Amino acid sequence: MDAGGCMNKIVVIPLDERPCNYDFNQLLVEDTDVQVVVPPRSIMGDKKLVGSVEEIWDFLESHIAEADGAIISIDTLLYSGIIPSRLHHYSIETLVNQLNRLKTIKEKYPHLKLFAYNLIMRNPSYSSSEEEPDYYEDWGREIHRYGVINHKKELGIATEEELSELSDIHARLPKEYLDDYLKRREVNLAVNKHFLTLVQEGYIDFAIIPQDDSSPYGLTAKDQQIILEEINRLDINTKVYMYPGADEVTNTLLARMINEKHGKRPLVYVKYTSFSGGSIIPLYEDRPVHETIKYQILAAGGLVTSSVHEADLVLIVNVPPSGMIEAPNQNVRLIEYDSFRNLIEAVEFAEYVIDELNKPVIIGDIAYANGGDLQLIRLLRQKGLFYKLAGYAGWNTSSNTLGTCIPQGMIFYHYGNRKGHLDFLALRYVEDAGYCAHVRGYVTQHVLPELRLDYFNVDGKRGKVADLVKQQLQQFADEIIVDDTYRIVVKDSYMPWRRMFEVGLAVEVVKKGD
């Protein structure tokens, strides 16, 4: 740590090797005095291919002596990543002994600020082995329904029809598959609970339990209730937050660590684009977005304020007027979206805050799931705001988005405008609006069938699909993300998990004329 009290080196053990988990945290601190170090991708695994847990531990232990802080995904430290955490056959004893190695690290380096997060194993409602055990391809829906109906049965609210369905599932679902699935959940839950004891004993300074699956009933919902009760029992509610999210958590903890080292708690004023405000419950989540936003700001080290004049940062949240839909379908309810919210007022307000109040503005673009709002992008272009913002995101779930743009804004609050910040803004526009809301759907519908490929099976990480995606995104950047002073160069594109859902990109902002 330097004389000014600034964090210099942070060791990050990310949730997996995909760009959102592996790259974003490094890109967020580009051109600052913060150095983020991560394990080599080669030891992190590759989707269902398990990485080297011991080499990941070796990396952590070899870099920790010179670090001021560490941000750790427990799922990676124990299983090598999010997907292996759903496939392993480790015993509780083996995993608890591994986890206890964090005690030794904290005892040896008591100055080390240690933040960590540990997911509760999800339970998808559909049959697919894409990210689950192989038998989930045929029996995933039944395993999910087994959990939902049993949960409702325990609560005394299962209907006769549901109980009949449960009997049918028992008759058809192979016992060895259900036993394997439930045993792994039992092991993972025991690890979650031991993780909490490390927080209670002071070995972990702050923790998050992200809710990757927020259904009201089922196996995951029951586990979440058990963990919440354990948090209450251990009296650690202010040291462990539990809210929807997953792939963005490293960004949030990074912002918190930087805020703490600067001795700051940024005040954030929240403004919504629609009369519905924060009352909307986003797709894939279990609560009104306003309650999640409070957690996202708190977890990143800030506080919500009711006064724009007191605020250090202003967060404008682009919300749907009613039920959220997927970004590729955003023309379906265009009239309703236009009539029951006011994007024009939001961008006018953003310009006023930036130019007149001289305060940083963040935009959380959660009007749609899994992609940005193209109408908002057009308005930002019209007002010349693309590169005046302190943060922007609009990818995947509401919490993925908020847990990206809020940390970006807080890092901007400390380090201001710089090349690394502009590049990350450009990446968000290209990926969230360009890829997620437009190019992904176009390529899936019009290109993959001609190549005899499909959404879950493209031609490798770097093939014709990746090349075409790059071309399409460059065209999108040239036509839509137009600015008087900058242009965007899409330098690289690849498909991390050889499917269309994610994309890996390298983009750069270049001054026009250079």
Side-chain angles (χ1 to χ4, degrees):
M1 194 184 307
D2 66 17
C6 182
M7 178 72 65
N8 284 330
K9 181 176 179 179
I10 301 173
V11 178
V12 169
I13 305 298
L15 183 58
D16 61 37
E17 79 287 357
R18 288 175 298 165
C20 60
N21 288 310
Y22 191 90
D23 294 333
F24 284 11
N25 56 91
Q26 299 172 73
L27 296 173
L28 282 168
V29 297
E30 193 73 28
D31 296 329
T32 72
D33 58 2
V34 178
Q35 179 192 10
V36 166
V37 293
V38 297
R41 260 198 173 98
S42 59
I43 67 173
M44 285 288 295
D46 183 358
K47 197 179 179 180
K48 283 190 170 184
L49 295 177
V50 179
S52 174
V53 169
E54 196 55 42
E55 286 186 87
I56 293 170
W57 273 102
D58 289 344
F59 174 88
L60 175 64
E61 292 168 346
S62 65
H63 284 80
I64 213 70
E66 300 174 354
D68 300 288
I71 297 170
I72 294 172
S73 162
I74 300 300
D75 293 281
T76 298
L77 211 52
L78 298 184
Y79 316 109
S80 83
I82 185 172
I83 304 302
S85 75
R86 305 167 187 163
L87 307 173
H88 72 90
H89 292 93
Y90 295 124
S91 68
I92 293 174
E93 293 74 21
T94 296
L95 295 170
V96 167
N97 287 337
Q98 281 276 57
L99 190 53
N100 280 339
R101 293 169 68 174
L102 288 178
K103 291 184 177 183
T104 304
I105 289 175
K106 187 69 171 179
E107 288 167 351
K108 188 174 181 180
Y109 305 106
H111 74 281
L112 181 74
K113 187 70 70 172
L114 181 53
F115 295 166
Y117 60 104
N118 191 197
L119 273 64
I120 294 174
M121 185 173 155
R122 74 174 193 170
N123 179 211
S125 60
Y126 48 84
S127 292
S128 170
S129 61
E130 178 72 12
E131 300 181 20
E132 316 298 328
D134 289 346
Y135 53 76
Y136 220 87
E137 183 71 30
D138 300 313
W139 298 101
R141 183 186 179 280
E142 284 76 8
I143 292 172
H144 174 79
R145 291 295 294 164
Y146 165 89
V148 169
I149 300 171
N150 261 320
H151 190 186
K152 295 175 79 171
K153 181 180 177 182
E154 292 171 10
L155 296 172
I157 59 173
T159 65
E160 288 299 322
E161 183 179 357
E162 287 173 327
L163 292 174
S164 175
E165 181 184 352
L166 182 62
S167 296
D168 178 64
I169 289 172
H170 274 297
R172 295 187 299 108
L173 177 58
K175 185 175 183 299
E176 64 269 25
Y177 296 158
L178 182 60
D179 287 348
D180 174 79
Y181 191 79
L182 295 179
K183 176 62 177 177
R184 189 173 300 106
R185 295 198 68 91
E186 177 186 332
V187 170
N188 287 15
L189 183 62
V191 170
N192 290 135
K193 294 170 76 171
H194 187 68
F195 171 66
L196 297 179
T197 67
L198 297 188
V199 179
Q200 196 263 345
E201 293 168 358
Y203 294 104
I204 295 171
D205 297 288
F206 181 76
I208 295 175
I209 303 286
Q211 292 177 260
D212 189 27
D213 181 337
S214 301
S215 302
Y217 304 107
L219 295 169
T220 301
K222 286 179 64 176
D223 287 351
Q224 289 168 349
Q225 183 61 38
I226 291 169
I227 291 302
L228 185 57
E229 290 171 357
E230 188 71 0
I231 290 171
N232 290 332
R233 186 185 72 82
L234 294 173
D235 201 25
I236 52 175
N237 307 73
T238 59
K239 294 182 177 181
V240 181
Y241 294 169
M242 185 172 162
Y243 60 87
D247 291 327
E248 80 293 339
V249 175
T250 295
N251 307 329
T252 299
L253 293 177
L254 178 62
R256 184 184 188 91
M257 196 166 279
I258 291 171
N259 277 325
E260 286 193 6
K261 286 301 176 180
H262 281 272
K264 299 288 187 179
R265 294 203 74 179
L267 298 179
V268 183
Y269 176 79
V270 182
K271 178 181 175 63
Y272 297 95
T273 59
S274 170
F275 77 98
S276 57
S279 63
I280 292 295
I281 299 177
L283 288 177
Y284 316 112
E285 298 187 5
D286 67 344
R287 67 193 70 186
V289 68
H290 187 58
E291 302 309 316
T292 301
I293 284 174
K294 293 175 187 176
Y295 267 124
Q296 290 279 4
I297 292 171
L298 278 173
L303 290 168
V304 176
T305 180
S306 60
S307 168
V308 67
H309 294 286
E310 292 179 355
D312 298 303
L313 294 152
V314 172
L315 171 63
I316 296 176
V317 188
N318 182 23
V319 292
S322 55
M324 183 181 288
I325 63 175
E326 298 281 344
N329 302 321
Q330 58 187 272
N331 289 325
V332 173
R333 284 165 48 197
L334 189 60
I335 295 297
E336 179 186 347
Y337 264 69
D338 188 58
S339 300
F340 289 85
R341 64 174 181 164
N342 198 321
L343 278 182
I344 295 175
E345 190 272 343
V347 295
E348 293 283 1
F349 184 75
E351 182 182 50
Y352 168 76
V353 171
I354 293 169
D355 291 346
E356 301 297 327
L357 300 185
N358 197 30
K359 294 178 183 287
V361 170
I362 305 164
I363 293 183
D365 190 0
I366 60 169
Y368 303 98
N370 289 308
D373 185 337
L374 297 178
Q375 179 63 17
L376 173 61
I377 294 297
R378 295 184 188 98
L379 292 174
L380 292 176
R381 179 186 66 202
Q382 291 176 29
K383 298 298 292 184
L385 291 176
F386 279 144
Y387 301 106
K388 291 184 177 181
L389 295 180
Y392 169 87
W395 65 286
N396 285 24
T397 68
S398 170
S399 285
N400 290 155
T401 283
L402 295 168
T404 302
C405 64
I406 292 171
Q408 185 187 12
M410 290 185 173
I411 293 169
F412 178 94
Y413 169 69
H414 292 294
Y415 294 101
N417 208 356
R418 58 199 193 282
K419 180 63 160 52
H421 171 73
L422 296 178
D423 286 343
F424 193 73
L425 272 178
L427 175 63
R428 301 273 45 81
Y429 298 138
V430 171
E431 182 173 354
D432 302 355
Y435 183 75
C436 296
H438 176 61
V439 170
R440 178 168 57 193
Y442 174 82
V443 172
T444 299
Q445 294 176 29
H446 300 288
V447 177
L448 296 186
E450 296 180 3
L451 298 175
R452 297 185 178 180
L453 302 170
D454 60 54
Y455 187 92
F456 294 104
N457 180 33
V458 301
D459 56 341
K461 292 187 179 184
R462 297 182 181 276
K464 291 182 180 179
V465 172
D467 289 342
L468 183 61
V469 165
K470 180 183 175 183
Q471 295 170 16
Q472 291 286 321
L473 289 177
Q474 186 63 66
Q475 181 178 343
F476 181 90
D478 292 340
E479 295 177 358
I480 306 299
I481 314 173
V482 180
D483 184 88
D484 291 339
T485 55
Y486 295 106
R487 63 185 177 90
I488 294 174
V489 178
V490 182
K491 300 168 65 177
D492 189 26
S493 170
Y494 70 99
M495 318 311 290
W497 279 1
R498 298 161 293 278
R499 64 184 188 182
M500 291 302 296
F501 188 69
E502 305 90 356
V503 66
L505 297 172
V507 307
E508 184 180 11
V509 169
V510 178
K511 279 191 175 183
K512 285 188 173 179
D514 288 357

